[in-house]
Structures are given as structure tokens and as C-alpha cells.
Amino acid sequence: MTNRFQVTDRFADGAQYIGGRLRAGTSDREHSVIDPATGKSVYTYTLASTADVDEAVAAAKAAFPGWAGATPGERSEALHRLAGVLADWAEDIARVESLQCGKPLKLTTEFDVPGTIDNTAFFAGAARHLQGQSAAEYEADHTSYVRREPIGVVGSIAPWNYPLQMAAWKILPAIAAGNTIVLKPAEITPLSSLMFAQAAKEAGIPDGVINVVSGSGRIVGEHLVGHPDVVMTSFTGSTPVGKRVAEVATATVKRLHLELGGKAPFVVFDDADLEAAAHGAVAASLINSGQDCTAATRAYVQRPLFDAFVARVAELMETVRVGDPFAPGTDLGPLVSHRHRDSVAGFVERARAYATVVTGGEAPGGELENGAYYRPTLITGAAQDSEVVQSEIFGPVLVALPFDSDDEGIRLANDTPYGLAASAWSRDVYRANRATREIKAGCVWVNDHIPIISEMPHGGTKASGYGKDMSVYSFEEYTQVKHVMFDNTAVAAKDWHRTIFGDR
């Protein structure tokens, strides 16, 4: 195995970032960050307690008046500086992300980290454009306008599959709008979130604006979501956990944003470019080892192309280089943990009873046997109502199914509880446009699958949740719209008063 980033010294003071400094948690439980490529511990820390959450929320609450009172230009300048610090630290952050997640270094250096820097730069600009409706007389005697104001302390929970990017997606719109935040990353992947908070301090963002508590979801996450001084929660993760987050948040009447599971359809019509669709399917199903809620998981291919598509996807999957994330040339790293790898393998093993595993379907041995690896897997012959078609596997597994008519293809694409992302492949603009209209998802790509950009919103519908990350649409989650109305008459006894007392 190649050399790995040494994190022990960098986080020697602990894995909690509260009020502008790293410190140890105060629970009685320790947790180890495991390199999934080797199965070895790379960092051990004390988990946060509920008292740590209380302290972090108090720090965020204390910092809120000053940060909310900063001008949009001041917040913008701070975020521009943050983008610069992240760029300076890019190599270290990428190596930390690869270490704790098992992502190939080429993915973290070319996707995760640059995407986060770009997102930071975007919100630096967007911070200056928090505008309400222009002043006008919508009723003759009054002038109305709309203020868009920060809401207060945000308590957010980020997942383990994109720890850096999801931390940024939670933090950036919140603080660009003038809020302060307490973020809980997944306890198995807290390191890049902590580095993001450290970078913010280096950029001059005031202490307490960004806080990170590393602890369990059941204890720390629930306490954060239910905290009386937290006014809004943004959660990204599985749909079952999202339901629990909603229960806790609703009990305290919090604003809530949920980005949950997905089971993205990849619909290939019979006039599609077969080679483009096959390459797209392999890339979109294997990104981040398939641990992506927008990854292509269900390929519906119109029958004239089905056999050729299956053959070409299998051929391409067999060329994918599975290996050490830090080794040059590695395409696919391990899954995030052995436990999760075994969960993915369980889906595939159960599917053998009713479907065909065309390629993959196993963990590699040899020098990779200690890691949480799983080969790229293609399955055919599964029924639409089977587990591998309906349930989120969250691994490098693609299921291919044929369809006949366009109506059937779109119906099958919509036939899951989820609605996060989808793609349609066709050379016919009218056919593709119909698919974008009728497929129920928060994002529909045409002749591609997976690209995201800071300027456009990300979020789902149905069991995939509601609300948006990224783009100016995300400010809808993190701001309060206030109507202000001025009387223009200076008349003491107004005509409408007679409806309450007196005569005209």
C-alpha cells in the first residue's frame, strides 16, 4: 500500500470543533476512523456528548448577532477567502478524504475538492444577492417590500459518502445567508469536515459561526435536531433515518430540509447512442463505488438495444481497475466499511435466486482481501418488484431491465418510492423532452448522468425528500421572508377602521 496522510498530529486536540478550536469530546466512548482499503485504524477520538452539542449550539447562538449583522459584502469577502484557503489546502484535504472514505485519489482531487472550492466561490458571490421583492404599492395607501433575513442557528447532519462536499453543501448557504451552524458529520468520516471548519477560521470567519460535533446519530444527532435553540435542520442520508429526523424536528416545530435516498433510473431509448449510453452507465453506476444517492442503479433499455447494451456494459465493467485509492491508475476503491460491503454483497447474493449476475458479484482477494472492496456488478433478469430493483443498494451494482414502448419505459422509471435523479438517453429531442417532463425526479439529465454544478439546485421528491442544496434556491431553506408595509397617508382614522368600530 502506498503512503497515506498522517492525521493523528493534525487532530491531536480532538475531533470536536467548537467556538473556533479543536477539542476532545466529553462522552465516555471512543471511536476509530478506519481506512477501508486496509481495515486499519488511522485515528481514534472521543465521541461528542450531548453536553458538547449544547456548548456548540451556545457558541453558534452567541456568534449569530454579529455574523447576521455583517453586510452581504463582508460575508462574501470572507467566503472568497475561504475558497482561497481550501485551494491552498487542496492536496491535504483530498488525501484525508481518500483515507477516511476509500475514494480513489483521482476522484477526490478532480471532483470532491474542486467541487467544494467552486461551491464556496459560488456562495461567496451569491451572498451579495439575497434580495426580496422590490418596493411597490400593491394597495394604493401602502408601500410593501420583502426582507430576506437569516433564521438563526442551523443544526445539520451530513452523510459519510461525500463528507467534504456534503459539509460544504450544508454550511455554505447557511452562513452565506447570515446564519450560524452546528454540523454533525458521520462519526466514521469526520476529518474533512473538521478541516473545512479549520479553513474557515484561517479565512477569518468568526469563531462560533461554524461548529462541528463528531458523535453518534442516535445520541448527538437527535439531541442536535431537538435542541430548542436550533431553528432549522438540514439532513442528508437514508430515507428511514430521515423519517426519524423529521419526527424529532417536527416535535419542536423546526424548519426541515431532507435529502434522502435514491434509486435513479437510466432510461435508454432505442435511438440512443449505444456507446455513449454504455460508457455513461458504467461511470454513473460506479462513481464513488456506487455510494451516491444519484448514481445510476436501474438501467431500462428499449428491447432492440438491450442485449448489446448488457454486453458492452459488462465488457467495460471488466476493465475497471479495482485497487488502492492512493495508487496511480486505480479506478474503483473500497466501499466505506466492511459492514457496508457485506450489506451490498447480501443484496447480490439474494438476487442470485431470481436473477443473473452477468459480471462481478464478489469481493476481490489477494492483496485487496483486507479491504472493503467489491467488484463492479451487473445484474439482469430481475423482476420490477424485486429487492435489487426497488431497494437502495448503495454500491457498485447496476440492474438492467428491458422495456418495449416509451410509455412502459417511463412508467418503470417512476415505479419506485424514490425521486431524486434520473437520466434519459435519446437522439430525439421530443422523446427526451417528454422524459424530462414525465419522469418524477428532482434532476433529469439527457444523454449524461451525474454531473452537478453549483449554480443549479440539487434535491428530490417523493421518498427522496424535499428542499434544495446548492444554487440560490437553497436560500429558501435558510432565510425568513418578511413582509414590511408602510402607510403612505398619515391619516389617523382610516376608512377600514369602520369595519371594527364607528361609522363612515
Side-chain angles (χ1 to χ4, degrees):
M1 291 290 176
T2 53
N3 291 330
R4 274 148 164 74
F5 189 88
Q6 300 299 314
V7 299
T8 303
D9 292 342
R10 184 164 196 131
F11 302 107
D13 293 330
Q16 317 303 325
Y17 191 86
I18 300 173
R21 68 180 183 92
L22 279 175
R23 37 154 286 191
T26 60
S27 76
D28 58 358
R29 296 175 56 207
E30 287 194 335
H31 186 84
S32 289
V33 176
I34 304 297
D35 176 355
T38 64
K40 295 180 180 179
S41 172
V42 295
Y43 178 67
T44 300
Y45 68 96
T46 303
L47 291 167
S49 67
T50 56
D52 296 322
V53 175
D54 292 341
E55 187 175 340
V57 172
K61 185 177 181 180
F64 174 69
W67 184 247
T71 67
E74 289 169 337
R75 291 197 293 269
S76 174
E77 289 173 5
L79 288 172
H80 276 301
R81 293 194 300 269
L82 174 56
V85 175
L86 292 170
D88 291 341
W89 293 8
E91 182 178 351
D92 284 353
I93 296 173
R95 296 182 73 81
V96 164
E97 196 78 332
S98 290
L99 180 66
Q100 67 179 356
C101 300
K103 298 170 183 276
L105 196 59
K106 69 176 181 179
L107 182 65
T108 58
T109 58
E110 297 179 30
F111 181 76
D112 295 70
V113 175
T116 300
I117 295 169
D118 182 75
N119 209 225
T120 306
F122 170 81
F123 278 106
R128 289 179 176 266
H129 297 283
L130 277 167
Q131 298 170 345
Q133 193 166 357
S134 299
E137 288 69 46
Y138 298 96
E139 188 273 329
D141 292 340
H142 299 85
T143 297
S144 288
Y145 68 87
V146 169
R147 292 177 56 88
R148 189 176 287 278
E149 299 178 343
I151 56 176
V153 177
V154 175
S156 291
I157 300 175
W160 49 257
N161 58 329
Y162 289 101
L164 175 68
Q165 285 195 311
M166 295 298 101
W169 287 14
K170 302 303 181 195
I171 292 169
L172 291 169
I175 69 171
N179 304 290
T180 56
I181 190 167
V182 179
L183 176 79
K184 192 203 88 67
E187 63 268 36
I188 63 174
T189 55
L191 303 179
S192 55
S193 299
L194 294 168
M195 292 183 76
F196 189 95
Q198 290 176 312
K201 184 179 180 70
E202 183 77 8
I205 293 175
D207 294 349
V209 172
I210 299 172
N211 306 273
V212 179
V213 288
S214 306
S216 73
R218 187 175 58 84
I219 296 172
V220 169
E222 291 205 10
H223 190 68
L224 176 62
V225 173
H227 198 288
D229 289 331
V230 169
V231 299
M232 182 261 184
T233 289
S234 178
F235 169 80
T236 296
S238 72
T239 297
V241 177
K243 291 178 180 178
R244 176 58 184 162
V245 169
E247 289 175 1
V248 177
T250 302
T252 50
V253 199
K254 284 180 172 50
R255 186 179 296 199
L256 184 61
H257 164 221
L258 297 174
E259 199 266 86
L260 306 176
K263 191 72 177 174
F266 186 100
V267 183
V268 183
F269 295 100
D270 58 13
D271 67 331
D273 181 327
L274 176 62
E275 193 69 7
H279 278 81
V282 172
S285 62
L286 300 184
I287 185 172
N288 201 32
S289 297
Q291 300 166 131
D292 187 311
C293 49
T294 63
T297 59
R298 299 178 290 138
Y300 295 104
V301 185
Q302 208 149 22
R303 204 170 295 275
L305 290 185
F306 183 76
D307 290 343
F309 176 88
V310 169
R312 186 62 174 136
V313 168
E315 181 181 33
L316 289 172
M317 279 187 169
E318 289 165 5
T319 70
V320 172
R321 297 163 294 185
V322 180
D324 175 13
F326 289 86
T330 291
D331 296 319
L332 193 76
L335 281 84
V336 75
S337 69
H338 288 78
R339 178 181 178 183
H340 184 59
R341 190 272 310 276
D342 293 345
S343 172
V344 170
F347 278 99
V348 177
E349 291 308 306
R350 291 189 295 274
R352 292 183 191 276
Y354 55 80
T356 300
V357 177
V358 177
T359 189
E362 63 182 4
E367 64 179 12
L368 301 180
E369 64 181 353
N370 292 326
Y373 292 93
Y374 200 74
R375 293 195 184 281
T377 300
L378 176 63
I379 295 174
T380 61
Q384 175 65 15
D385 62 356
S386 63
E387 181 187 46
V388 289
V389 175
Q390 293 292 325
S391 298
E392 188 173 32
I393 300 172
F394 224 56
V397 179
L398 176 66
V399 183
L401 302 93
F403 69 92
D404 292 306
S405 68
D406 288 17
D407 288 349
E408 182 188 16
I410 292 173
R411 178 181 61 78
L412 292 172
N414 286 330
D415 185 28
T416 70
Y418 300 105
L420 185 58
S423 63
W425 297 74
S426 173
R427 291 184 173 98
D428 185 329
V429 65
Y430 299 103
R431 207 176 202 183
N433 198 33
R434 178 196 175 189
T436 66
R437 290 194 311 270
E438 296 186 13
I439 293 176
K440 306 304 180 186
C443 174
V444 181
W445 293 282
V446 176
N447 295 327
D448 207 344
H449 191 116
I450 225 73
I452 55 173
I453 50 176
S454 298
E455 291 83 359
M456 289 292 112
H458 176 86
T461 185
K462 300 179 2 184
S464 293
Y466 47 83
K468 300 298 180 184
D469 287 310
M470 299 199 299
S471 83
V472 294
Y473 292 97
S474 65
F475 285 137
E476 300 300 321
E477 319 300 330
Y478 296 100
T479 56
Q480 175 66 41
V481 173
K482 178 188 287 184
H483 171 217
V484 178
M485 178 179 273
F486 280 87
D487 170 60
N488 294 330
T489 67
V491 173
K494 294 178 172 55
D495 186 57
W496 71 268
H497 291 175
R498 69 181 177 80
T499 62
I500 311 302
F501 72 100
D503 299 318
R504 177 172 289 171

